[in-house]
Amino acid sequence: MAKSSSPTASASGTKKRKSKSGALTHEEVKSLGHELLSSRTHLNHAPTLLALLSPSAPLKIALEALISLQSFFEPLLPSIPSSSAAAAEVASSDPELVFGAWLRQRFDEFVAALIELSVLPHSDDTIREVAFDAFMNFVKLGKDGRFHSAIYHKFLHAVVHATDSIDPLLELLGSKYSKYADVCYFTYTSLDKITNSLGSQTTGSGKDGLQNGDDSSEDRSISCIHNIYNILVHIPALDFKKETKFDMWSTVGISLKGEKNSFEGSSATHINKRLKVKFTKAWLAFLKLALPLDVYKEVLATIHQNVIPSMSNPAILCDFFTRSYDIGGVISVMALSGLFILMTQHNLEYPKFYDKLYALLTPAVFMAKHRSVFLQLLDACLKSSYVSAHLAASFAKRLSRLALSVPPAGALIIIALIHNLLRRHPSINFLVHWEVPQDDTNTSGEASHPKKVGADPFNNEVTDPTKSGAMRSSLWEIDTLRHHYTPAVSRFVASLENDLTVRAKTTEMKITDFSSGSYATVFRDEVRRRIKQVPLAFYRTTPTSLFQESDFPGWTFEQASVLGNENSTVETGGASPAKRPTMKSALHFWGIFSCLCSYAISKNIDARPDTVSIGALFTFNSTIGRVAKIAMAAAVGDINNDSSILPGTKLVVQMRDSNCSGFVGIVQALQFMEKDTIAIIGPQSSVLAHVVSHVANELQVPMLSFAATDPTLTPLQFPFFVRTTHSDHFQMASVADIVNYYGWKQVTAIYIDDDYGRNGISSLDDELAKRRSKILYKAAVRPGAKKSEMATVLVRVAMMESRVLILHANPDSGIALLLLARNLGMTSSGYVWIATDWLGSFLDSSPHLDIDLVNAVQGVLTLRQHTENTRKKSMLASKWSALVKRDNVDSRFLINSYGLYAYDTVWMIAHALDAFFSRGGNISFSIYPKLREIAGGGLHLGAMTVFDEGKLLLEIIRQINFTGATGLVKFDSDGNLIQPAYDIVNILGSGSRTIGYWSNYSGLSTASPETLYMKSANRLRENQKLGLVIWPGETVTRPRGWVFPNNGNELRIGVPHRVSFRQFVSADNITDTVRGFCIDVFVAATNLLQYPVPYKFMMFGNGSENPSYTQLINKIQTNEFDAVVGDIAIVTNRTRVVDFTQPYIESGLVVLTSVKKHSSSGWSFLQPFTIRMWGVTGLFFLIIGTVVWLLEHRINDDFRGPPVKQIITVFWFSFSTLFFAHREDTRSTLGRFVIIIWLFVVLIIQSSYTASLTSILTVQQLTSPITGIDSLVASDEPIGFQVGSFAENYLLQELGVSKSRLRALGNPDEYKRALDLGPGNGGVMAIVDERPYIELFLLEHPKFAVVGSEFTKSGWGFAFPRDSPLAVDLSTAILELSENGDLQRIHEKWLNNRMTESQSQTNDLESDSLQVYSFSGLFLICGVACVITLAIHAGVLVHKYCEHAASSQQAALSSTDGSSRSSSSRSRLQAFLSFADRREIDTRRASKEKAAALAGVGGDSVGGVSAVSSTTSVSTTTSC
């Protein structure tokens, strides 16, 4: 064993395995893992599996290797020696020590591989999460149960030095492990060490840290700083203020070595102290680094909230904040928050604080990103009573000057700030109304210094506020804002006209109401303002005054004319002014009366009760109720502490426990109605909601339920029922999408048999039907059922076909069902469990799970209502432990999504009541009149009253719109919360992981719904994605989702009882078996399935004629047959009612008819060419002969001689080329060129003629008046078809053939008889049937033939019920039969080899003759060649003739002593033709002789001429 596990052997084994790892399959890797876990003899498999742990390895293989190695190392972890001990044991001779050293090396390699898989960005999300969970398990299982800080430090070192994004990994770390105190402790410890080592390279902070490095080392340092900051952000600070019990990831916690007292290391006080120290050290080390600018800003933006409250001594941050505050600009603005906290809470002294704050007031600060916090802090800093009047005046004056240049939203904030300054410091109120006379020269006071008109003594440029001269100025800028272009600003500035020195009559402005303003908010508020409608008046002429004298007879109107200082009064009616009331006085009285009325109305509207009570009805001791009780109490506290909502009114929620009893819940709901309750939160149960909603409808009391998800609780029936969570309609749509995504067609639903369960499953059934799936079996469980009853239900479920189980129950019954399913083996491989959100909420609320439950839920998919990461959610989660402790609850539990919705429900009521009171709503009740008719008994029904303003409150609730802990809270037109979404969670180990999301907007996705809402909706199937799932049985392979039902029943296979063509299907009455080609294919396909399929064949038909295949298919619909096997054609009408397998043989309709032999005539040899073709061919023969004669005539003796001979030569030569038998030789180059082309043309023509004639004389032997289906349908002849075939319906419905023309034929003998008789003797013209039948028929009757082509394309398959998974598996098996050749062998067994040879081919009964167009290219080439050669020849001939004529003319001139004679054109043409007719060699000889004769003339010129003429005459005669 020592040899086999030695380092040398393992290294060689690893190297060898690595070379083959690329060829390892998933099954091989799984086998290696099983062998490694089974015995030490297979230890060398560990290096092989380690080699597979790579991000580039296939996902399934890497995941299988990882799980195997984790299972291998976890039991051995306590015995693995340390690294130092392993180094010393390598050289030991003890096999166990060598094995320990080898094991340590492999473990270190495994840990390094896990870190690599976790950190690298291109790792798959699934392998990253599994690898990280495995790594954290090793961290948890350190020596003696201690936290394994060494390997955890390696992990953080790799994360810090990662060059790519680490956000996915940090999300895992923060969401799953940051809640454990020891993980946070050692994270801070390691970060402190890593940051200090990094600080030796990059030191300094503040202004020196604002740099962007250019070299690679500096870039790496900046990347490390970003990573450190991201880790610190993702590890939130725990609640150090409360001494509570901290959760620990490891067994021992954060107890260190050497601690004798275990209580000392585990007490909450000691843990608080240690965590604070490590938290402080980590942040101090980080802040000492040279932070990049972006990180610097992020730190300053959040440090006052996330860091300072959790530090042991926040005062040590004073250097960091003062340096940041001194930098100026945006950095100073962002540093103000932390500096203010240190000054106000930790006694930090900063002498020049207000000088710096004064310098920060620039127009840019009103457009900064963090202006809201800065302006709130500015108002808080100026609130101190120690601020002097000079300082307050300087700030007020500087702000008023800024009001002239900032946006409207900034002007509103400035007005609010100045308002508060003037109210806090009455001594500077003179700045508002103070005016300095021009001749004021009194110097006794600062406020009376002389100044020039139009000159402001305020100096806006100085940085010292005490030297700005603000006390000698005024707030004239504020008066300018009266004419601001924004109405909101011009209206708001009027608030400064009030006497702010009387503090009892004025209130401070809330800067928070203005600090986040922008152009958008100002515009929105202005649009929403209620504008008083002004009546319109139309005048024929433009009025010159508001009222006419005729409108008020007896009244006197005063008109003021500004003409110097004179006033005039106009009197009407001659009445005395003293005795008549003036219009001006009346208007004054009317204005006073209107003001009084408005004041009274406003007082009535703003009258709010001191306390508002609402009811809450739910089960306290339940998974949802425990969380909801704490969440609602927290919401009430937050609302009552927030003065911006329900000011002056205290909200009280009276909670009642329904104790899981419908009767108790009804009684308590009625008790609420007796006490004039205006709203009820709840009930939790959907069953109870159905009953109580009727009462709420009658008494008009809104009911807001955060847990009743029954989809039938709709506003149409229950208008006063408001669901503040998502309906199960959306949850069932998400489940249906998951089922459809994985391709399952049938599921089994297990549910509680009440309104909640039944209606939820009914909605699931509807959603599955939309996706062409269905619920195969509905297993109802009685509410409160015993385990024996549940076991009976599960046993029935196990006998069903589907293995996809949907569990829709409550936590109590659902957990019991899962535990029973595990005992029954129903959570093993092959099963799929999908639980609705009851399981997700239960797991979220349970900090620790029982080991049996953990094993039962492995691989289960569950849902969780998706909630956004809002600020309220984070705040509620951070203080949850304290809230639970304050409630004095014995058991500890965490918050879940229902708790968040309960929290938002209380806030929803608070917002609605606030709007209700603002709109003049009044809490009043009246007697319900229908209850008066009910008298007697002990029930005080008369105490129940109707909420008068219930409809108004309900309307306001329906229109609510705010951001709560779950995100945006708003209802759609159907009364549902908008943007329903769910997290899809896969349970693995003791935790869970989110594999994707579902939203009603975009379906399934691995991206969060918030990111998808910003994109266009896309529900295409290719965009639906989910992460990798680890299914029950720890497998990543998608389960098939069904098995053959284990109910003892066999499949009833219907088989047609044929009487013809029994080679396909036949019944043996002796052996009572079924045989045939189709049967053998079905049996061979079922043998390839990976599971047994018991079946029995059942014949359909009377045995005397072929049955109707349409009726046979319908038997599947009526559930008489489970499937149909045989020669079943796949046609459209049948696919609408059943599913077919892959076709196992091709088929289609063809036309079979009688044919006659065709006898050829004696003139058949002329048929290959048309008459035109013959003519063109003969013409070209003559043309070619003529062209060749012209080219060869002058130089070739074969083409010379008498004219008759030359004509015969042309004909002979041209036609002899047809047989390549021409004997005349061609001497000219042009002639040979023409002959070559022509011989090629002749070759093509001859070959084509031979082929066509051969086809005519040999192939075309059969003829028929029917050439195909078209000619058959067009005729009126009778048509035959096989009994039971779909051909009858096809001819009638598709082709429109009259039924009177159709003849039913039962067997091949009737086929032959009907065709032999023919249409005139009671037979048929043709038979339309499927090709396989016709091929068998032609084997025995070859005198018939198929005419035309196959006019339908189909095949034969096996029929199954719709969405049957067996049809899919059999289709795969049929394809496998086709690929391995078994299908062909079965075909040869039953249908004979000769079928392939005797397959009918389409006959061209009318063979077309060859056309000229087919050879036009050849003729064109040949013609062009002839023209070109003739042109060249003509050119050469003309040139030579010209030379000859010139020499002859010169000789003639010399012989006649220069006398000129003219020759006629006719004589010239004759001379040219004579020249062209001469042989070229004779022409050259004659020219030479003529030249010699002229040269040798010595005597009489006449004699010389005679001699030449004689010679010429002789030559000419010879040439002819």
Side-chain angles (χ1 to χ4, degrees):
M1 187 273 295
K3 291 182 181 180
S4 64
S5 59
S6 64
T8 305
S10 65
S12 61
T14 302
K15 185 175 181 181
K16 182 178 180 181
R17 288 289 185 179
K18 283 184 178 180
S19 64
K20 296 183 179 180
S21 62
L24 290 177
T25 63
H26 179 259
E27 294 298 329
E28 293 173 342
V29 174
K30 194 172 184 179
S31 176
L32 290 178
H34 287 310
E35 292 176 359
L36 177 63
L37 297 175
S38 62
S39 173
R40 277 194 176 188
T41 58
H42 302 290
L43 287 175
N44 283 331
H45 291 347
T48 304
L49 295 175
L50 282 170
L52 299 175
L53 295 182
S54 170
S56 59
L59 178 60
K60 292 184 179 180
I61 292 178
L63 197 59
E64 188 66 42
L66 191 153
I67 295 174
S68 299
L69 289 171
Q70 181 183 1
S71 303
F72 171 71
F73 280 112
E74 277 188 357
L76 300 175
L77 197 60
S79 62
I80 296 178
S82 62
S83 300
S84 57
E89 293 171 356
V90 172
S92 176
S93 59
D94 188 356
E96 289 297 329
L97 295 179
V98 174
F99 171 69
W102 177 87
L103 196 62
R104 181 70 201 190
Q105 293 177 359
R106 303 290 83 77
F107 177 72
D108 290 341
E109 292 176 5
F110 183 45
V111 169
L114 292 178
I115 294 175
E116 180 185 14
L117 290 173
S118 302
V119 175
L120 290 182
H122 51 274
S123 297
D124 187 85
D125 291 341
T126 301
I127 193 70
R128 177 187 291 111
E129 186 168 354
V130 175
F132 184 57
D133 290 341
F135 173 79
M136 292 304 295
N137 282 334
F138 289 136
V139 172
K140 179 180 182 179
L141 301 174
K143 192 171 184 181
D144 300 329
R146 297 180 182 274
F147 194 92
H148 208 317
S149 58
I151 63 173
Y152 189 67
H153 180 78
K154 293 180 182 179
F155 163 73
L156 288 180
H157 187 274
V159 173
V160 169
H161 290 83
T163 57
D164 297 309
S165 174
I166 57 173
D167 290 340
L169 179 60
L170 294 183
E171 289 291 339
L172 292 176
L173 180 63
S175 61
K176 300 182 69 171
Y177 301 102
S178 63
K179 59 186 177 182
Y180 300 107
D182 50 353
V183 174
C184 297
Y185 176 85
F186 288 104
T187 300
Y188 299 143
T189 303
S190 297
L191 288 180
D192 183 23
K193 297 177 182 178
I194 297 171
T195 306
N196 286 328
S197 63
L198 186 64
S200 60
Q201 304 174 6
T202 57
T203 58
S205 61
K207 199 169 185 176
D208 299 332
L210 307 178
Q211 53 185 333
N212 295 316
D214 296 331
D215 52 67
S216 59
S217 61
E218 190 169 1
D219 290 340
R220 287 195 297 271
S221 299
I222 293 176
S223 176
C224 292
I225 292 173
H226 277 89
N227 292 339
I228 294 174
Y229 176 69
N230 288 332
I231 296 174
L232 290 172
V233 169
H234 282 82
I235 303 295
L238 299 177
D239 189 6
F240 298 136
K241 297 180 180 180
K242 303 292 183 181
E243 293 187 3
T244 183
K245 184 179 179 181
F246 290 94
D247 291 332
M248 296 294 173
W249 177 242
S250 59
T251 305
V252 180
I254 60 175
S255 297
L256 304 177
K257 295 181 179 178
E259 291 182 348
K260 298 181 180 180
N261 186 2
S262 60
F263 175 79
E264 180 187 0
S266 59
S267 65
T269 304
H270 198 62
I271 293 175
N272 266 333
K273 183 178 178 181
R274 284 187 172 183
L275 282 173
K276 276 193 173 185
V277 171
K278 292 300 181 182
F279 179 84
T280 303
K281 286 185 177 181
W283 271 101
L284 284 179
F286 172 70
L287 294 177
K288 291 178 182 179
L289 297 176
L291 302 182
L293 183 59
D294 55 342
V295 177
Y296 208 120
K297 291 181 179 180
E298 291 184 24
V299 169
L300 290 174
T302 58
I303 192 172
H304 63 285
Q305 292 180 345
N306 301 334
V307 180
I308 293 179
S310 302
M311 298 193 75
S312 58
N313 183 16
I316 58 180
L317 293 175
C318 61
D319 292 338
F320 172 75
F321 281 115
T322 52
R323 285 196 304 268
S324 303
Y325 194 66
D326 291 339
I327 291 175
V330 180
I331 299 298
S332 296
V333 173
M334 301 179 68
L336 182 61
S337 299
L339 194 60
F340 179 76
I341 293 175
L342 295 183
M343 291 175 62
T344 56
Q345 300 179 13
H346 301 281
N347 300 323
L348 174 66
E349 294 184 2
Y350 192 73
K352 295 184 178 181
F353 174 77
Y354 283 100
D355 294 351
K356 293 290 184 182
L357 184 61
Y358 183 80
L360 291 177
L361 293 177
T362 60
V365 79
F366 290 90
M367 292 176 284
K369 180 180 179 181
H370 304 282
R371 64 182 182 275
S372 177
V373 178
F374 169 76
L375 294 171
Q376 294 175 35
L377 290 174
L378 173 64
D379 182 65
C381 293
L382 297 177
K383 195 174 185 178
S384 174
S385 58
Y386 296 101
V387 176
S388 63
H390 286 79
L391 192 61
S394 298
F395 273 94
K397 183 60 182 176
R398 189 175 182 91
L399 288 170
S400 63
R401 184 63 59 86
L402 287 173
L404 300 178
S405 56
V406 296
L412 293 174
I413 302 171
I414 289 175
I415 295 172
L417 289 170
I418 295 176
H419 178 279
N420 292 344
L421 276 173
L422 295 175
R423 185 178 181 278
R424 296 166 186 166
H425 305 280
S427 58
I428 66 171
N429 268 264
F430 69 92
L431 294 175
V432 180
H433 304 285
W434 180 52
E435 296 180 2
V436 181
Q438 298 183 15
D439 55 351
D440 188 0
T441 58
N442 183 15
T443 59
S444 61
E446 191 176 355
S448 59
H449 286 315
K451 58 182 181 179
K452 298 179 181 179
V453 177
D456 192 348
F458 173 71
N459 188 355
N460 195 36
E461 303 298 330
V462 298
T463 58
D464 188 356
T466 60
K467 299 178 181 180
S468 62
M471 293 293 286
R472 293 181 286 115
S473 181
S474 66
L475 301 181
W476 58 267
E477 298 91 347
I478 299 301
D479 186 66
T480 306
L481 296 181
R482 296 174 183 271
H483 309 287
H484 198 276
Y485 66 90
T486 304
V489 177
S490 60
R491 287 194 305 268
F492 190 46
V493 75
S495 63
L496 298 181
E497 296 181 357
N498 300 327
D499 187 3
L500 300 179
T501 58
V502 184
R503 304 185 65 180
K505 296 182 179 181
T506 57
T507 57
E508 285 195 358
M509 299 286 185
K510 290 184 179 180
I511 303 302
T512 55
D513 296 339
F514 307 94
S515 56
S516 299
S518 62
Y519 277 107
T521 58
V522 173
F523 179 78
R524 184 179 65 247
D525 294 341
E526 192 65 25
V527 170
R528 291 179 177 178
R529 282 187 70 245
R530 284 191 174 184
I531 302 175
K532 187 176 181 181
Q533 295 183 356
V534 180
L536 301 178
F538 298 92
Y539 300 92
R540 295 181 179 178
T541 59
T542 304
T544 58
S545 60
L546 182 61
F547 301 104
Q548 301 293 332
E549 295 181 2
S550 59
D551 295 336
F552 300 90
W555 291 80
T556 302
F557 294 89
E558 295 182 357
Q559 296 181 352
S561 59
V562 186
L563 297 173
N565 293 326
E566 297 180 356
N567 295 330
S568 61
T569 301
V570 180
E571 298 182 2
T572 61
S576 173
K579 295 182 180 180
R580 297 176 183 173
T582 62
M583 186 66 182
K584 184 175 182 180
S585 301
L587 291 177
H588 285 171
F589 282 114
W590 178 257
I592 294 172
F593 176 75
S594 299
C595 292
L596 292 175
C597 293
S598 299
Y599 178 75
I601 293 173
S602 64
K603 280 293 183 180
N604 184 34
I605 292 176
D606 293 336
R608 297 169 181 255
D610 295 334
T611 303
V612 175
S613 296
I614 59 176
L617 183 60
F618 57 95
T619 302
F620 290 177
N621 189 24
S622 64
T623 301
I624 297 176
R626 283 191 294 266
V627 177
K629 183 180 179 183
I630 305 296
M632 286 192 288
V636 171
D638 293 343
I639 292 169
N640 291 331
N641 293 330
D642 190 348
S643 59
S644 63
I645 186 169
L646 289 178
T649 301
K650 181 180 180 181
L651 181 66
V652 178
V653 177
Q654 299 177 357
M655 301 184 188
R656 297 287 181 87
D657 185 5
S658 62
N659 200 20
C660 291
S661 172
F663 176 74
V664 174
I666 294 172
V667 172
Q668 290 177 343
L670 295 177
Q671 289 177 350
F672 278 133
M673 302 301 180
E674 286 182 345
K675 297 181 179 180
D676 294 343
T677 304
I678 63 173
I680 298 177
I681 299 177
Q684 174 185 332
S685 168
S686 298
V687 178
L688 184 57
H690 273 279
V691 179
V692 180
S693 294
H694 289 285
V695 182
N697 287 348
E698 295 296 330
L699 302 182
Q700 299 184 8
V701 177
M703 285 178 36
L704 293 83
S705 177
F706 58 87
T709 57
D710 184 353
T712 61
L713 290 168
T714 62
L716 297 177
Q717 183 181 6
F718 306 110
F720 281 84
F721 176 83
V722 180
R723 194 194 329 267
T724 59
T725 186
H726 295 304
S727 169
D728 276 344
H729 166 73
F730 301 108
Q731 181 173 207
M732 296 309 168
S734 65
V735 173
D737 276 344
I738 294 173
V739 172
N740 184 57
Y741 175 78
Y742 290 109
W744 299 312
K745 294 299 182 183
Q746 296 178 343
V747 302
T748 297
I750 308 173
Y751 62 95
I752 295 298
D753 194 12
D754 58 11
D755 291 337
Y756 161 74
R758 284 192 303 270
N759 296 329
I761 295 303
S762 177
S763 178
L764 174 63
D765 204 359
D766 295 339
E767 294 297 328
L768 288 173
K770 296 177 183 178
R771 296 157 180 82
R772 294 197 63 184
S773 300
K774 66 178 181 179
I775 298 178
L776 181 66
Y777 178 64
K778 295 181 180 180
V781 179
R782 181 179 63 86
K786 299 179 181 179
K787 289 187 177 181
S788 58
E789 297 178 59
M790 295 182 181
T792 303
V793 173
L794 290 177
V795 169
R796 287 199 300 266
V797 170
M799 298 175 64
M800 293 296 109
E801 177 181 348
S802 174
R803 284 294 182 263
V804 181
L805 309 180
I806 312 298
L807 182 55
H808 185 52
N810 52 54
D812 295 335
S813 58
I815 296 300
L817 284 167
L818 285 173
L819 291 174
L820 287 173
R822 180 176 179 271
N823 296 333
L824 294 173
M826 296 176 64
T827 59
S828 58
S829 179
Y831 279 89
V832 177
W833 284 87
I834 302 177
T836 51
D837 62 349
W838 66 266
L839 181 57
S841 61
F842 176 81
L843 296 177
D844 291 341
S845 300
S846 305
H848 302 290
L849 298 177
D850 182 71
I851 187 63
D852 293 333
L853 179 59
V854 170
N855 295 330
V857 297
Q858 293 301 300
V860 174
L861 290 183
T862 184
L863 301 177
R864 178 197 299 126
Q865 297 194 51
H866 179 77
T867 56
E868 298 182 21
N869 294 322
T870 59
R871 181 172 175 271
K872 286 186 177 181
K873 178 181 177 181
S874 301
M875 294 176 61
L876 184 60
S878 63
K879 61 183 180 182
W880 184 258
S881 299
L883 294 172
V884 174
K885 184 177 180 181
R886 187 177 63 187
D887 198 57
N888 296 323
V889 180
D890 296 334
S891 60
R892 298 183 67 252
F893 51 86
L894 305 177
I895 193 170
N896 56 33
S897 59
Y898 284 102
L900 297 175
Y901 281 108
Y903 181 86
D904 280 352
T905 302
V906 181
W907 272 96
M908 186 185 302
I909 293 181
H911 282 287
L913 289 175
D914 194 21
F916 175 76
F917 294 134
S918 298
R919 293 172 59 175
N922 186 25
I923 299 178
S924 61
F925 296 85
S926 58
I927 298 175
Y928 187 55
K930 294 182 180 180
L931 290 178
R932 294 179 181 178
E933 303 173 1
I934 304 176
L939 296 177
H940 300 285
L941 299 178
M944 290 189 293
T945 54
V946 179
F947 181 26
D948 296 331
E949 300 287 348
K951 291 184 178 180
L952 175 61
L953 181 58
L954 177 65
E955 178 186 355
I956 296 174
I957 292 174
R958 295 289 186 189
Q959 297 174 356
I960 207 72
N961 186 356
F962 71 98
T963 300
T966 59
L968 181 61
V969 180
K970 186 179 179 181
F971 294 100
D972 60 14
S973 58
D974 295 329
N976 297 314
L977 288 177
I978 64 171
Q979 298 177 353
Y982 289 86
D983 300 341
I984 303 173
V985 180
N986 182 209
I987 302 175
L988 179 64
S990 58
S992 60
R993 60 190 184 91
T994 302
I995 63 169
Y997 306 90
W998 179 92
S999 66
N1000 195 39
Y1001 182 73
S1002 57
L1004 300 175
S1005 173
T1006 54
S1008 62
E1010 290 80 17
T1011 60
L1012 299 177
Y1013 292 146
M1014 298 181 292
K1015 305 176 182 178
S1016 59
N1018 194 341
R1019 296 296 293 267
L1020 296 178
R1021 183 173 178 82
E1022 55 268 19
N1023 293 323
Q1024 305 294 295
K1025 296 180 181 178
L1026 287 177
L1028 189 67
V1029 179
I1030 298 179
W1031 303 100
E1034 296 185 356
T1035 177
V1036 295
T1037 303
R1038 182 189 70 86
R1040 185 172 67 246
W1042 73 280
V1043 295
F1044 195 78
N1046 187 22
N1047 53 13
N1049 296 329
E1050 295 178 326
L1051 277 181
R1052 299 163 299 173
I1053 307 296
V1055 179
H1057 195 176
R1058 296 191 59 88
V1059 297
S1060 61
F1061 302 109
R1062 296 170 59 85
Q1063 295 90 335
F1064 296 108
V1065 177
S1066 62
D1068 192 340
N1069 297 326
I1070 300 176
T1071 60
D1072 197 21
T1073 58
V1074 183
R1075 304 170 62 250
F1077 169 72
C1078 302
I1079 303 301
D1080 283 4
V1081 173
F1082 175 76
V1083 173
T1086 53
N1087 291 336
L1088 292 178
L1089 299 179
Q1090 298 179 359
Y1091 48 89
V1093 180
Y1095 58 86
K1096 61 179 179 180
F1097 293 120
M1098 302 175 64
M1099 304 305 296
F1100 176 76
N1102 54 21
S1104 59
E1105 63 177 3
N1106 294 334
S1108 171
Y1109 281 60
T1110 301
Q1111 296 178 6
L1112 177 59
I1113 293 296
N1114 291 335
K1115 294 294 183 181
I1116 297 179
Q1117 274 192 303
T1118 58
N1119 201 27
E1120 296 182 40
F1121 290 147
D1122 297 319
V1124 170
V1125 172
D1127 48 344
I1128 313 299
I1130 304 174
V1131 295
T1132 305
N1133 292 336
R1134 296 173 182 174
T1135 57
R1136 295 191 179 104
V1137 295
V1138 295
D1139 281 351
F1140 284 93
T1141 62
Q1142 175 78 16
Y1144 56 89
I1145 188 173
E1146 293 184 358
S1147 177
L1149 293 179
V1150 294
V1151 177
L1152 176 70
T1153 186
S1154 300
V1155 293
K1156 298 179 180 179
K1157 290 185 178 180
H1158 173 73
S1159 57
S1160 58
S1161 65
W1163 298 97
S1164 297
F1165 69 91
L1166 295 177
Q1167 293 181 7
F1169 288 171
T1170 61
I1171 297 177
R1172 185 178 179 185
M1173 180 63 187
W1174 282 115
V1176 172
T1177 303
L1179 179 62
F1180 257 85
F1181 274 111
L1182 297 178
I1183 293 173
I1184 293 302
T1186 303
V1187 171
V1188 173
W1189 178 82
L1190 291 174
L1191 296 176
E1192 297 290 330
H1193 174 68
R1194 300 186 66 247
I1195 61 175
N1196 193 340
D1197 291 339
D1198 292 338
F1199 292 90
R1200 300 189 64 83
V1204 176
K1205 178 183 178 182
Q1206 293 185 37
I1207 293 173
I1208 294 173
T1209 301
V1210 168
F1211 276 92
W1212 163 253
F1213 178 82
S1214 60
F1215 284 101
S1216 63
T1217 57
L1218 179 62
F1219 310 102
F1220 307 100
H1222 54 284
R1223 61 189 181 186
E1224 291 79 9
D1225 187 19
T1226 53
R1227 297 179 181 178
S1228 65
T1229 303
L1230 296 176
R1232 292 175 178 176
F1233 174 73
V1234 172
I1235 289 300
I1236 290 174
I1237 295 177
W1238 174 244
L1239 291 178
F1240 177 73
V1241 174
V1242 169
L1243 175 65
I1244 299 300
I1245 294 175
Q1246 186 183 42
S1247 302
S1248 302
Y1249 176 84
T1250 303
S1252 180
L1253 183 61
T1254 303
S1255 175
I1256 292 173
L1257 296 178
T1258 59
V1259 177
Q1260 187 180 359
Q1261 297 177 352
L1262 304 175
T1263 60
S1264 172
I1266 301 299
T1267 59
I1269 187 63
D1270 293 332
S1271 61
L1272 179 62
V1273 173
S1275 67
D1276 293 330
E1277 305 296 342
I1279 303 172
F1281 66 92
Q1282 185 181 178
V1283 174
S1285 172
F1286 76 96
E1288 179 183 8
N1289 288 334
Y1290 186 85
L1291 292 171
L1292 290 173
Q1293 299 175 4
E1294 301 295 333
L1295 300 182
V1297 178
S1298 174
K1299 191 172 184 179
S1300 60
R1301 295 177 56 191
L1302 300 183
R1303 304 289 187 270
L1305 305 175
N1307 53 56
D1309 294 337
E1310 293 184 11
Y1311 280 25
K1312 179 178 180 301
R1313 189 182 313 112
L1315 291 174
D1316 288 340
L1317 291 175
N1321 299 318
V1324 295
M1325 174 61 73
I1327 297 175
V1328 175
D1329 204 352
E1330 297 178 68
R1331 178 175 287 278
Y1333 302 128
I1334 299 301
E1335 289 174 349
L1336 279 179
F1337 177 79
L1338 290 177
L1339 285 176
E1340 300 177 0
H1341 308 88
K1343 68 176 182 178
F1344 305 103
V1346 173
V1347 295
S1349 60
E1350 187 176 322
F1351 55 92
T1352 64
K1353 292 290 184 181
S1354 61
W1356 289 354
F1358 306 134
F1360 288 87
R1362 294 297 299 271
D1363 302 324
S1364 172
L1366 188 58
V1368 178
D1369 290 351
L1370 276 179
S1371 296
T1372 305
I1374 291 172
L1375 290 175
E1376 188 175 349
L1377 287 176
S1378 177
E1379 292 172 357
N1380 60 23
D1382 289 344
L1383 188 61
Q1384 181 61 31
R1385 284 188 285 272
I1386 298 173
H1387 188 277
E1388 293 174 356
K1389 170 186 174 182
W1390 289 97
L1391 306 181
N1392 201 320
N1393 293 330
R1394 291 181 299 167
M1395 180 176 289
T1396 305
E1397 300 175 0
S1398 63
Q1399 287 181 348
S1400 299
Q1401 300 177 352
T1402 304
N1403 296 325
D1404 292 328
L1405 300 180
E1406 293 184 1
S1407 180
D1408 293 335
S1409 301
L1410 300 179
Q1411 304 292 327
V1412 174
Y1413 183 77
S1414 304
F1415 303 94
S1416 58
L1418 295 173
F1419 289 134
L1420 179 62
I1421 294 173
C1422 188
V1424 171
C1426 293
V1427 172
I1428 293 174
T1429 54
L1430 286 176
I1432 296 174
H1433 176 70
V1436 173
L1437 185 61
V1438 170
H1439 177 69
K1440 290 183 178 181
Y1441 173 75
C1442 292
E1443 291 181 348
H1444 173 72
S1447 61
S1448 299
Q1449 187 176 6
Q1450 185 178 3
L1453 291 175
S1454 61
S1455 63
T1456 57
D1457 298 330
S1459 61
S1460 60
R1461 291 194 297 257
S1462 61
S1463 59
S1464 65
S1465 57
R1466 182 177 180 184
S1467 60
R1468 276 198 223 100
L1469 178 60
Q1470 291 178 349
F1472 174 75
L1473 294 176
S1474 176
F1475 177 81
D1477 186 57
R1478 294 177 187 174
R1479 189 175 180 184
E1480 188 173 356
I1481 187 172
D1482 296 337
T1483 305
R1484 287 197 297 268
R1485 186 184 301 118
S1487 299
K1488 290 180 180 179
E1489 291 177 354
K1490 186 182 292 184
L1494 291 174
V1497 172
D1500 193 349
S1501 61
V1502 176
V1505 174
S1506 299
V1508 173
S1509 301
S1510 177
T1511 304
T1512 302
S1513 176
V1514 172
S1515 300
T1516 301
T1517 304
T1518 305
S1519 64
C1520 292

